[in-house]
Amino acid sequence: MKRKTMITVCCLAIWVGNIMAQDGKGSYALVSLNTGLSTLGFKVTGLDGVAGSVTSGVGIGVGIKYNYYFTSHWGIGTGIGLSVYNSSATLKGGMDDKNRYLLGPYMDDDNSGLPKAFELRARVENIKEKQNIQLFEIPLALQYQTRFSYGKWGAYGSLGVKFQLPIVKKFNVASHADGRLNVSGYYTDGSQNFDMGAPGTLPLPDHGFGTVDNPGKTLKWKGDTTLKTGMAGTLEAGVISRLNDESDFLIGAYLDYGFNDIKDSNIPLIEGPAESYHPAANDNIGKGIVYNGLLNTSLTDRIKPLSFGIKLGIRFKL
């Protein structure tokens, strides 16, 4: 009887030891991949006060993380990662004076050889812009884990913050058949004023005044913007599946929520050329007009990245 009891106690001790080893404290390296919905959390409003639309896109992320558990259940983690945010926004705009951009004074090299001063103006309509933002991230989080079913399965959770440094900040105006750009020149001649090439008037393409269809394609409106460093809260929860004594497979859900506004400025959406609109724009309506992208203009309110979805990972015991 005593022998059976001792054998039982030894087996129990070995079993408990194995569970503690599987669920014990120590260092882990984690490689993860996540995907889900992403948005930059901004709203668009035209010069006329009409709201535009913003659409979320598919986001992806990768990360390498170091976790140290100082007890069987609790630990801390840090590492590096890259998150990709995709979104698109549509600006309705219009060809009326409420949607008119004043681009500043310029001189016209007219055919008579007598330059005349004018004010350069622009209007845009039905502009659809796509944004691609990539953030280099450094997370710092409190970790929790537990094991059940003889250590084969378990659960984990993580709560913390991420420092987010924008490293790719691109925008691109998509080809859109209904998109339009109008460029006009406002001249003053004594008591008379003329808005040459404005909507409803005859175009003057030899002076660069008139309307261009599909400016995103015609004028190749794309470029880089600027964004500030951000901080986001991060939350994860999921299931642990033991692969072997040294590694685990993790699957769960995640949420990243931006705390601060990463918008960098409030520049105009449309600006005129740095020096002269003519003669480069002669017979090339819109050439030289600068499109700055929606994110850093007065047409957007603030930018706070948000992403949520599914995360997969493989964890190795160090």
Side-chain angles (χ1 to χ4, degrees), residues 269-289:
L269 178 66
I270 304 291
E271 290 185 304
E275 296 181 359
S276 175
Y277 184 58
H278 301 112
N282 293 350
D283 297 314
N284 292 284
I285 298 173
K287 185 175 181 179
I289 298 295

Side-chain angles (χ1 to χ4, degrees), residues 138-149:
I138 301 176
L140 180 62
L142 178 66
Q143 307 283 145
Y144 176 80
Q145 67 174 1
T146 188
R147 294 279 188 172
F148 41 84
S149 186

Side-chain angles (χ1 to χ4, degrees), residues 40-57:
L40 296 173
F42 66 95
K43 297 179 181 179
V44 177
T45 305
L47 293 178
D48 57 358
V50 176
S53 62
V54 179
T55 304
S56 303

